[in-house]
Amino acid sequence: MIRYIQESRLEELFRILSRRGPLYLPLAEGPSLSFRPWSEGAPVDLKTVNSTVSAKEIFLPREEAYFCYRRAGRELALEPLEQEAANAVAFGLRACDLRGLEMLDRVFKDQDPPDGLYLRRREQTAIVALACAEPAPYCFCSLFGIDPARAGGADLQAWWHGEGLCLKALTAAGEELLSSAGELLHEGPAGAEEPPRVETGNFGLKLEGLPAGLRERFDDPVWEELYRSCLGCGACTYICPTCYCFDLEDFGHQEKGERYRCWDSCMFREFTLMAGGHNPRPTRKERVRNRFLHKLQYYPERYGEIACTGCGRCLRSCPVDLNIVQVIRALGGESR
Amino acid sequence: MAQDNLNRDQATARIRAAVTQDLLSGRISLLLGWQKGLFWWRSRPLFARSQQDLERLVWDSFCAVNLSRYLPEELSIEERVGILVKGCDARAFHRLLQDRMLDRERVLLYGLPCPGMLDYRLLAEAGVKEAEQMLEEGEELVIQTGGGEERRPRTDFLLEKCRLCSHPDPVVYDQLLLPPGEPRMDPASRFQDLEARERPTPAERYAYWSGELQRCLSCYACRQVCPACSCRECFAEQQEPRWLGKGAGLNENMLFHIIRVYHGAGRCIECGECQRACPVGIPLLELSRRLAKDIEELYGPYEAGMDPEAPPPLLTYRPEDPAAFPEK
């Protein structure tokens, strides 16, 4: 059954959903858009495609503490940190965000043992996917078989219709979200049983030969050209929905502190810097190659799928316009 | 900007002709310029080594990337590098020269007076989706929208770094390829907008900058793109001693940005690449310009990157320099 809510009443819906726990929504921060816990009056933007930083940060935050440590004399005590409230809702994820989560799931969730921090956030968060009414010029998710109007792995699918949102539960958790909204929701309008079909462009790319053809291309001269303009910043990796590298650090001093993890980027020199000073990826060339081979070869060889969702964030945000489309083209993946 | 009545295609052809000659004769072994990017509103750096490469060269309203940043590394590979310089690229060149990051004799500068580069975000807000919807006619943009044709001043659509630029014409070159343009602003009054947005108390300043910096991703794009950031190893990534935690909390972000901007005080050429590069749109140019303004108030008029013989105020000592912290 399709339910419907007027756009003007969304604020009331957010109020209800946020009673359960943190409600993550795309919030405007200056010209940027990120998934953040909603609070009264927060600048929600459910129209712009896509958020500047991907929705991965709901599940793999920029930084996250494991535990606190305390030392008294020779005694060392580890104290688990207070867990965040359960029953979070992530609202407004796009189909490409969901595909990105699938990729992270394989790395953090579907392992033995799974990653506890990730698993907890994943299991405690209900996901409301929002269909894209119109793709952005950067979008090319159709290349990866993603339907921007139908997200896999969501509990609830939402789509714009007239002056409001249609809502369709996909799981029991989705049903529960709908029933919690009670009388705020009306019966869906006739003729709006499904989100309208949307397709993105694909920049003329083809994926045949990926990843198999890349094994022999590690020393291809094409990398020599591609890395030249790269500045060596980590913008692409931090906004990317499928980049998941992190680092561990301690914050504090000998007596007291906490151990946390935070995002890390293979574009940084010290990412592979070893004790003693050796660096197996000494220049930007090796680092650029690694980033893109991880997407196009290493991840697919291990998990069976190219680690790109076509979300277009690296196309939009790279300050020198070096992005995965350019790389796939340079590697010959362009249909002529 | 009326450029000798040359349109951009003709200008591009003139530039291409000039640099082709030098590349073919071996006067330079590499040319740093721009080529079309993935979208019509993007131009990306071009590293041209052949005539074939030069066919991709463009000079249009989207050549925002400051190319001088690439010079130190390219000069470690190439014998003699040619580079196209706008006003900001030229001042960045002076910055690098003054910081002894490059050898003047091994660089050939082709000057391009800059009309200012356009910001796609502003164009999109005005309803421009395709290149065909936007026509440049001198100082005006002719925009086709559903409702018809609209004429708007080109300056309405400039990147902020270009809107605030006080020297669009290159301040150094070996050869000027296009005729000089009209200045867009008087350098002496370049901080007027900051005065209008003064935040008088430390509490207000702290609140404002906390709000902006809390979303910093620590991606370091601002540092990587900066022609004044020349440390071989940035304090932010030094392992021993460890100055800065790797987390993305407000404390780390603020410490990083304060140190970054103080390192640039009196040296920053105000090219605004930090702000353009920032993926989350932090107004970093304002931060740098606030310091530039302080420097002027403390040490007298100074614009970094204008004259390589004029040392930055904080790198010199004069007995009459103010000694006390100003009371603000």
Side-chain angles (χ1 to χ4, degrees), chain A residues 137-138, chain B residues 36 39-43 61-62 118 120 123 129:
Chain A
Y138 311 96
Chain B
K36 226 36 230 163
F39 301 100
W40 59 267
W41 63 85
R42 284 279 175 79
S43 296
S61 287
F62 302 98
L118 302 181
Y120 173 67
L123 292 170
K129 286 186 173 170

Side-chain angles (χ1 to χ4, degrees), chain B residues 103-219:
Chain B
D103 178 359
R104 175 70 184 89
E105 299 308 310
R106 290 171 56 210
V107 184
L108 201 60
L109 298 146
Y110 302 95
L112 300 176
C114 176
M117 297 299 157
L118 302 181
D119 185 343
Y120 173 67
R121 220 161 48 87
L122 300 176
L123 292 170
E125 276 168 22
V128 179
K129 286 186 173 170
E130 307 292 335
E132 296 73 39
Q133 282 177 273
M134 184 199 84
L135 218 105
E136 293 191 48
E137 277 184 12
E139 279 298 282
E140 279 187 326
L141 287 194
V142 187
I143 294 170
Q144 312 285 337
T145 57
E149 196 180 281
E150 200 187 336
R151 284 181 171 268
R152 297 268 301 270
R154 194 176 177 279
T155 45
D156 284 2
F157 298 93
L158 293 184
L159 285 166
E160 187 165 62
K161 67 175 234 164
C162 301
R163 199 160 45 74
L164 295 168
C165 174
S166 48
H167 297 279
D169 284 7
V171 296
V172 56
Y173 51 80
D174 296 300
Q175 201 180 333
L176 192 65
L177 297 184
L178 299 171
E182 300 289 327
R184 286 202 293 277
M185 91 157 56
D186 173 16
S189 60
R190 72 190 198 278
F191 297 128
Q192 257 172 13
D193 66 305
L194 294 183
E195 279 152 25
R197 278 185 293 154
E198 209 60 71
R199 298 173 200 97
T201 66
E204 282 170 86
R205 290 197 287 274
Y206 186 80
Y208 175 77
W209 287 108
S210 303
E212 296 293 335
L213 293 175
Q214 57 86 21
R215 68 174 177 273
C216 169
L217 298 170
S218 311
C219 74

Side-chain angles (χ1 to χ4, degrees), chain A residues 94-107:
Chain A
R94 305 288 176 170
C96 56
D97 288 317
L98 267 301
R99 174 67 66 87
L101 270 191
E102 269 177 51
M103 311 246 179
L104 299 197
D105 282 354
R106 295 190 191 110
V107 178

Side-chain angles (χ1 to χ4, degrees), chain A residues 223-296:
Chain A
W223 300 112
E224 203 65 57
E225 289 307 311
L226 278 173
Y227 89 90
R228 288 305 258 267
S229 67
C230 175
L231 296 165
C233 77
C236 53
T237 57
Y238 285 173
I239 57 173
C240 177
T242 75
C243 273
Y244 51 76
C245 287
F246 60 86
D247 197 6
L248 293 181
E249 282 211 350
D250 288 348
F251 180 79
H253 46 79
Q254 281 208 333
E255 277 70 49
K256 189 184 153 205
E258 71 180 38
R259 174 153 301 175
Y260 67 95
R261 73 172 168 203
C262 58
W263 290 355
D264 201 357
S265 170
C266 61
M267 303 310 296
F268 295 153
R269 185 188 64 95
E270 73 278 15
F271 184 81
T272 45
L273 185 64
M274 296 176 177
H278 177 64
N279 196 336
R281 291 186 206 130
T283 74
R284 289 198 321 286
K285 177 184 154 186
E286 292 83 13
R287 302 199 273 270
V288 167
R289 179 173 60 193
N290 175 74
R291 171 165 151 76
F292 289 107
L293 285 185
H294 188 196
K295 304 282 175 220
L296 303 173

Side-chain angles (χ1 to χ4, degrees), chain A residues 149-188:
Chain A
R150 280 161 196 78
D155 296 297
L156 199 63
Q157 176 74 56
W159 64 95
W160 290 107
H161 182 90
E163 298 293 297
L165 278 183
C166 289
L167 300 162
K168 181 184 179 182
L170 304 172
T171 65
E175 293 285 1
E176 203 194 310
L177 287 184
L178 288 185
S179 61
S180 73
E183 289 172 8
L184 258 184
L185 307 180
H186 306 283
E187 200 175 315

Side-chain angles (χ1 to χ4, degrees), chain B residues 24-91:
Chain B
L24 292 185
S25 72
R27 195 168 171 222
I28 55 175
S29 51
L30 172 79
L31 179 91
L32 287 172
W34 301 273
Q35 61 183 321
K36 226 36 230 163
L38 190 55
F39 301 100
W40 59 267
W41 63 85
R42 284 279 175 79
S43 296
R44 62 166 72 126
L46 170 72
F47 298 72
R49 270 175 221 87
S50 67
Q51 192 166 9
Q52 199 186 353
D53 293 344
L54 282 177
E55 279 163 25
R56 301 205 301 274
L57 184 91
V58 292
W59 171 241
D60 63 11
S61 287
F62 302 98
C63 299
V65 179
N66 189 330
L67 297 175
S68 291
R69 187 67 176 99
Y70 294 109
L71 275 175
E73 181 166 324
E74 291 306 324
L75 284 168
S76 72
I77 308 167
E78 304 285 341
E79 193 43 47
R80 202 143 188 266
V81 176
I83 180 170
L84 304 182
V85 289
K86 314 180 289 289
C88 57
D89 308 68
R91 285 174 73 188

